[in-house]
Amino acid sequence: MTAAALAQIWLRGLGTRELNARRRLFVFPHAGAGASAYRLAAYLPDTVEVCTVQLPGRENRFAEPALTSLDDAVAALAPLIADHTDLPYAFFGHSMGSLIAFETARRLRALGRRLPDRLFLSGMRAPGLPDRDPRHTLPDDKLLATAEFDGVDAELQELLLPLLRADLTLCETYTHRAEAPLPCPLTVLAGAYDDSVDGSELADWHKHTSADFELHLFPGAPHLYVRGAERQLAETITRTFPARG
């Protein structure tokens, strides 16, 4: 399969705004989510092409085995993204997506490729800090009792359980390797009521950039604030990643 064909599989939305696009935003979803979970494109100008990562094991890639290694995800994504950095671009990642976005940026640096203008990293403690309560080894019944399955019917729970376990394994077996800080500015985001991460864990991201650092909390919002707050999130992104220029 050609690199162009692979990019269409991994990067949902690629080429959808090629006539108008002045910038690109690559979006990296949270654990258990597919590309359709995010509707940021609807709230961004048509000068920003939104390309959402579609990892194996979800939505139109449901038949493929989900990845359990962050290194494997980055190894697949970095070359595909490197081929589409002709425009100024940024990364937005939420939770698991923050780690993948961060490590993809570091891999692009190692490849000597153009880096993102800014990283927007959401709902995840900084790399190198310990996981609070690892969950990927929990028995099925205990994993099903976690917040991710609230309101999900039993049949769908059965389908989603292996995917969530794989994504948690990817996050919780990730080992941070010390490198020089990225030269990309970082904007770190979270819901103010996100009990999975605290202010000091978010602020610790500042160690991973040699450029500007911002921390922004969405008032009254939980961990999965992205769903339902796309407009506010888009406004926050465009404030420091303008739609034109």
Side-chain angles (χ1 to χ4, degrees):
M1 187 179 293
T2 66
L6 273 175
Q8 290 295 329
I9 293 170
W10 284 80
L11 303 172
R12 179 78 65 83
L14 184 65
T16 54
R17 294 181 173 177
E18 61 183 346
L19 296 179
N20 301 316
R22 300 287 187 88
R23 295 176 180 259
R24 280 197 186 95
L25 178 68
F26 292 95
V27 176
F28 299 73
H30 59 275
S36 66
Y38 292 74
R39 299 183 298 116
L40 279 172
Y43 299 97
L44 289 167
D46 62 6
T47 51
V48 179
E49 182 173 85
V50 179
C51 304
T52 305
V53 170
Q54 186 74 295
L55 293 174
R58 59 214 79 209
E59 296 180 357
N60 63 316
R61 304 188 69 184
F62 184 77
E64 302 175 54
L67 299 176
T68 56
S69 162
L70 190 142
D71 285 344
D72 288 348
V74 169
L77 278 167
L80 299 177
I81 290 175
D83 288 341
H84 296 90
T85 58
D86 51 308
L87 298 175
Y89 73 99
F91 285 170
F92 169 77
H94 181 63
S95 199
M96 175 183 77
S98 293
L99 290 180
I100 300 177
F102 171 71
E103 287 294 346
T104 299
R106 299 214 299 178
R107 182 66 61 90
L108 289 167
R109 176 173 63 180
L111 294 171
R113 306 306 290 265
R114 180 178 186 170
L115 295 180
D117 283 19
R118 183 172 286 266
L119 274 65
F120 297 90
L121 304 174
S122 170
M124 174 58 75
R125 67 188 63 82
L129 299 178
D131 287 310
R132 293 182 178 186
D133 298 298
R135 295 181 292 160
H136 71 279
T137 57
L138 287 175
D140 285 356
D141 59 335
K142 293 194 182 315
L143 191 52
L144 285 169
T146 60
E148 284 84 355
F149 291 99
D150 286 350
V152 178
D153 67 64
E155 186 175 346
L156 189 55
Q157 286 182 1
E158 187 176 346
L159 290 173
L160 292 178
L161 184 62
L163 173 60
L164 182 62
R165 189 181 296 282
D167 285 353
L168 291 173
T169 301
L170 183 151
C171 292
E172 294 171 0
T173 60
Y174 159 68
T175 301
H176 173 65
R177 294 177 286 270
E179 292 183 13
L182 285 168
C184 315
L186 299 188
T187 296
V188 173
L189 311 157
Y193 288 176
D194 185 348
D195 59 7
S196 72
V197 63
D198 65 32
S200 64
E201 292 170 322
L202 294 168
D204 208 61
W205 276 105
H206 84 276
K207 299 175 182 176
H208 299 284
T209 179
S210 59
D212 293 341
F213 176 82
E214 292 185 2
L215 176 58
H216 180 82
L217 299 181
F218 289 86
H223 179 63
L224 288 179
Y225 73 90
V226 179
R227 295 175 178 175
E230 288 94 344
R231 184 184 299 280
Q232 299 96 308
L233 180 56
E235 290 171 353
T236 300
I237 289 171
T238 54
R239 179 173 55 82
T240 47
F241 183 59
R244 298 185 180 277

